[in-house]
Amino acid sequence: MSRTLVQPVGQKRLTNVAVVRLKKHGMRFEIACYPNTVLSWRSGVEKHLDEVLQSHTVYSNVSKGVLAKSKDLIAAFGTDDQTNICLDILKKGELQVAGKERESLLSSQFRDIATIVMHKTYNTETQRPYTISMIERLMREIHFAVDPHSTSKKQALELIQELQKHFPIKRCPLRIRATAPQDQLPNLLEKLKEWNATVISKEGSSAQLSVVFEMEPGLYKDCHDFVMNKMHGRFEVLAHSLYVEGDTHVDQYNDYEDMPAPLPKETHDSVLELNEKLQKQTISSTSRPTETQQKQNKCNTCNVSFDDSKLYREHHKSEWHKHNMKRKTKQLPPLTEEECMADMELDDSKSDLKDYSF
């Protein structure tokens, strides 16, 4: 019995490719690209077309290696120039990605949207910014779905409006400085009152006056056009995200929900007095170090100084330092080493009593 070797004819199979698909005039056209290069080319990072396309060929099915017919290309694109058609598909086509790759892209964009929302909003009840994990939890509660065809910033702004319907969240105000002639000041103040803006300060000379104010981000364009076009003044954005006084970075906050509320002013003053008394009782070395060494080897948590850098490093690993760190998170004053050991023994005895049931 004779055996013949059957080989496929007219098929050009490609593997490990990124397929860009475009449907036009009821027909499907595809091009084969290198993985992870299509988005770089669309964003302008990659300039060379040969680094993106595996071949200047238009397919009707890349996975099967079926080439597109010339008459179909002319009917859909008006030309049979493969390179120009590849460019058109690369610009307007839809990138076909695998399941895991799509999940990774959506997860990354989900995180980007949450980051933008975190930097642009704050909690109206606590006057504090939200953390990234809290924003992501709120997004999941309202069942937010990422749109891969829309930008992260646009989706973040739409998400903020949706979150405001369910949670105490608000856009951070913009701090703006507007400089205009002195005779235009009444018009500017009248507009700021109409926009419910908060005037922070006024300064300047008799010729020109600068007004620093805070306003809603949604009124940015109206305010910019009014100052620049009608008043012929200067417009400057000083800050995009404003929080309460003392909040400089969002990274300072964590997700500990059991943290106590800030101490009132009277309690804070008493704590400071107690810190001064305890500071006098701290352990001092036999030989007084210099002022430079004290600054370099001083533990602010325990209010103690070391003249030896080795002892200073060992101190940060000690139970004394760790115990005072826990007290610091609870807004409590630090203890000396002897007081710390006694406090730890008391905690151990309390934990032992919990192990027994009477």
Side-chain angles (χ1 to χ4, degrees):
M1 185 176 178
S2 62
R3 295 183 178 180
T4 59
L5 181 62
V6 180
Q7 293 181 344
V9 180
Q11 288 190 2
K12 186 177 180 181
R13 292 187 179 274
L14 295 173
T15 57
N16 193 24
V17 298
V19 179
V20 180
R21 179 182 300 166
L22 178 66
K23 291 184 178 181
K24 198 170 185 180
H25 288 268
M27 294 174 285
R28 185 177 70 178
F29 302 97
E30 297 178 349
I31 57 175
C33 305
Y34 292 103
N36 305 321
T37 58
V38 177
L39 296 180
S40 299
W41 187 85
R42 288 178 175 177
S43 61
V45 176
E46 184 61 61
K47 302 294 184 181
H48 301 286
L49 188 61
D50 292 334
E51 298 294 331
V52 180
L53 296 178
Q54 292 203 8
S55 64
H56 294 252
T57 308
V58 181
Y59 300 83
S60 60
N61 194 319
V62 171
S63 61
K64 295 182 179 180
V66 180
L67 302 177
K69 298 179 181 179
S70 298
K71 63 177 184 179
D72 294 339
L73 296 176
I74 294 174
F77 299 96
T79 180
D80 58 352
D81 189 345
Q82 300 275 344
T83 303
N84 291 335
I85 296 175
C86 286
L87 280 172
D88 194 17
I89 296 175
L90 193 59
K91 292 178 182 178
K92 303 177 182 178
E94 182 180 357
L95 177 62
Q96 308 297 308
V97 294
K100 291 185 178 180
E101 187 177 358
R102 183 183 295 108
E103 183 180 352
S104 177
L105 291 175
L106 293 178
S107 177
S108 177
Q109 191 172 7
F110 186 88
R111 184 81 175 181
D112 293 341
I113 294 172
T115 303
I116 295 174
V117 174
M118 177 190 70
H119 288 298
K120 290 183 176 292
T121 59
Y122 68 98
N123 190 330
T124 57
E125 294 180 352
T126 63
Q127 300 297 318
R128 295 289 193 276
Y130 284 96
T131 60
I132 184 69
S133 58
M134 294 170 67
I135 293 295
E136 290 180 347
R137 186 166 65 248
L138 297 181
M139 292 169 65
R140 294 188 181 94
E141 287 185 10
I142 65 172
H143 305 289
F144 175 76
V146 178
D147 183 6
H149 304 293
S150 180
T151 61
S152 299
K153 184 176 181 180
K154 180 180 178 182
Q155 295 184 73
L157 296 177
E158 295 174 353
L159 174 62
I160 292 174
Q161 297 179 357
E162 186 65 26
L163 290 175
Q164 288 177 341
K165 300 176 182 178
H166 305 87
F167 305 103
I169 187 171
K170 190 177 181 181
R171 285 282 300 273
C172 296
L174 294 175
R175 179 166 293 180
I176 299 172
R177 177 189 287 125
T179 305
Q182 181 72 27
D183 56 348
Q184 295 288 340
L185 179 62
N187 297 333
L188 178 61
L189 295 178
E190 183 179 353
K191 272 291 182 183
L192 294 179
K193 185 178 180 180
E194 180 182 340
W195 292 329
N196 293 325
T198 304
V199 178
I200 305 300
S201 64
K202 303 175 186 177
E203 56 184 9
S205 60
S206 58
Q208 285 190 337
L209 184 69
S210 296
V211 180
V212 179
F213 57 92
E214 295 177 2
M215 63 180 300
E216 293 294 328
L219 300 171
Y220 171 83
K221 189 176 184 303
D222 296 338
C223 182
H224 179 270
D225 294 341
F226 180 78
V227 174
M228 299 294 292
N229 299 333
K230 294 185 178 180
M231 299 180 58
H232 303 287
R234 288 185 300 172
F235 187 87
E236 182 183 0
V237 178
L238 302 179
H240 293 276
S241 299
L242 296 175
Y243 305 109
V244 295
E245 185 177 357
D247 298 334
T248 55
H249 298 286
V250 178
D251 298 336
Q252 295 176 350
Y253 300 94
N254 49 34
D255 295 328
Y256 297 145
E257 297 181 355
D258 57 346
M259 290 292 290
L263 293 175
K265 187 174 180 181
E266 296 179 357
T267 309
H268 181 67
D269 295 338
S270 62
V271 170
L272 292 177
E273 294 178 0
L274 184 58
N275 284 343
E276 293 177 358
K277 294 179 181 179
L278 292 174
Q279 189 174 3
K280 297 178 182 179
Q281 302 175 1
T282 54
I283 301 175
S284 60
S285 56
T286 54
S287 58
R288 292 178 58 84
T290 61
E291 293 182 2
T292 305
Q293 290 175 336
Q294 284 182 347
K295 291 181 180 179
Q296 292 178 350
N297 299 330
K298 181 180 179 181
C299 176
N300 294 324
T301 302
C302 302
N303 287 330
V304 63
S305 301
F306 299 89
D307 58 345
D308 188 1
S309 58
K310 184 178 180 181
L311 294 175
Y312 176 70
R313 289 192 298 268
E314 291 178 353
H315 166 73
H316 282 78
K317 301 177 184 179
S318 65
E319 296 296 330
W320 177 22
H321 180 77
K322 294 178 182 178
H323 189 70
N324 277 331
M325 285 292 294
K326 295 179 181 178
R327 292 177 61 85
K328 187 176 181 180
T329 58
K330 299 178 181 179
Q331 306 276 352
L332 296 176
L335 300 177
T336 62
E337 189 171 11
E338 291 81 2
E339 293 172 340
C340 178
M341 297 302 295
D343 194 21
M344 291 173 63
E345 290 178 1
L346 182 61
D347 292 340
D348 292 340
S349 61
K350 288 181 179 180
S351 61
D352 292 340
L353 289 174
K354 291 181 181 179
D355 297 336
Y356 296 95
S357 57
F358 297 97

